[in-house]
């Protein structure tokens, strides 16, 4: 937790904990432009640092993407998931909030971790927002009490937007609440449209 970046700390009794997860080779500081507009008096906003130094030259990672494929990606996510879960629980303990007041928002590899966490019980969060992300494998169950929102650039050359579309369809078929927004002209990145959608998805008073 000491390596995580507190973007905003509540000035009144907290109603929500928002945890942001960066992509591979990046850092919490890179999420400041995304996290700062999310600040409000009753909300924690924390950019979490991935636990391991990236083996791609700079930044941090949850798992290596060297030689990654459809089979070993699953294995790598499973191996580090206990660390991810504990990170979320540690911040919940500090904030004094439970899963019903927690939102996870990840970009790219951060989104992979947040999404895959929904396939484990009990649920970690009421809201999960995946930006330019995917499941490591197709979702197997509808997370109880968790709404999922996929935001993806239509021109993403790194993680195909089809992964978001397929996951949302599969989740809805399983009985989950899932929404997908595809953004024309956007590649593997974040723009103002993503921030607008993220802000709405995190609002406890709105449907994600």
């Amino acid at each position: 937790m000491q390596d995580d970046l507190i973007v905003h700390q509540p000035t009144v009794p907290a109603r929500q904990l928002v945890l942001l997860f960066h992509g591979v080779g990046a850092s919490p500081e890179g999420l400041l432009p995304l996290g700062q507009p999310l600040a409000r008096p009753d909300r924690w906003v924390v950019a979490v640092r991935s636990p391991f130094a990236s083996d791609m030259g700079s930044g941090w990672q949850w798992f290596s993407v060297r030689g990654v494929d459809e089979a070993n990606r699953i294995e790598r996510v499973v191996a580090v998931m206990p660390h991810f879960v504990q990170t979320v629980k540690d911040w919940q303990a500090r904030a004094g909030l439970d899963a019903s007041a927690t939102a996870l928002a990840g970009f790219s590899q951060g989104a992979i971790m947040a999404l895959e966490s929904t396939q484990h019980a009990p649920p970690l969060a009421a809201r999960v927002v995946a930006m330019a992300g995917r499941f490591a494998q197709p979702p197997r169950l509808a997370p109880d009490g968790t709404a999922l929102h996929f935001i993806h650039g239509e021109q993403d050359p790194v993680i195909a937007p089809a992964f978001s579309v397929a996951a949302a369809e599969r989740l809805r078929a399983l009985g989950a609440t899932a929404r997908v927004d595809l953004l024309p002209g956007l590649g593997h990145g974040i723009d103002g449209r993503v921030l607008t959608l993220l802000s709405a998805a995190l609002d406890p008073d709105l449907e994600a």
Side-chain angles (χ1 to χ4, degrees):
M1 290 175 66
Q2 67 271 19
D3 296 314
D4 299 338
L5 177 62
I6 297 175
V7 179
H8 178 75
Q9 192 163 340
T11 55
V12 300
R15 291 183 60 216
Q16 189 180 38
L17 169 66
V18 175
L19 298 177
L20 305 175
F21 300 91
H22 61 75
V24 65
S27 69
E29 289 75 17
L31 292 172
L32 278 172
L34 186 71
Q36 287 171 333
L38 302 176
R40 67 186 201 186
D42 62 353
R43 173 184 283 167
W44 284 84
V45 182
V46 179
V48 174
R49 199 201 78 180
S50 299
F52 307 113
S54 172
D55 58 7
M56 301 297 284
S58 64
W60 305 90
Q61 65 186 22
W62 284 97
F63 59 89
S64 175
V65 295
R66 288 187 181 275
V68 73
D69 57 33
E70 292 301 307
N72 64 32
R73 180 184 293 106
I74 298 168
E75 298 167 358
R76 295 177 189 188
V77 171
V78 168
V80 78
M81 185 55 69
H83 192 140
F84 183 90
V85 171
Q86 191 59 52
T87 296
V88 175
K89 289 183 176 180
D90 286 347
W91 275 109
Q92 289 171 336
R94 176 166 177 180
L97 298 169
D98 61 14
S100 68
T102 300
L104 311 179
F107 173 76
S108 194
Q109 188 177 92
I112 292 174
M113 296 302 303
L115 287 171
E116 281 296 327
S117 76
T118 69
Q119 299 300 287
H120 301 265
L124 288 174
R127 295 163 190 271
V128 172
V129 182
M131 298 168 284
R134 56 168 290 183
F135 277 90
Q137 57 184 313
R140 287 79 67 199
L141 57 85
D144 185 28
T146 303
L148 298 97
H149 192 152
F150 299 83
I151 305 171
H152 218 130
E154 286 187 350
Q155 277 67 55
D156 190 335
V158 179
I159 297 178
F163 283 110
S164 286
V165 174
E169 291 176 349
R170 174 63 177 159
L171 286 163
R172 287 194 291 263
L174 291 168
T177 299
R179 168 178 169 175
V180 58
D181 283 289
L182 301 182
L183 303 179
L186 180 63
H188 193 68
I190 295 171
D191 63 10
R193 294 171 295 174
V194 175
L195 176 57
T196 297
L197 289 166
L198 173 62
S199 297
L202 295 179
D203 193 328
D205 300 317
L206 297 175
E207 288 295 326

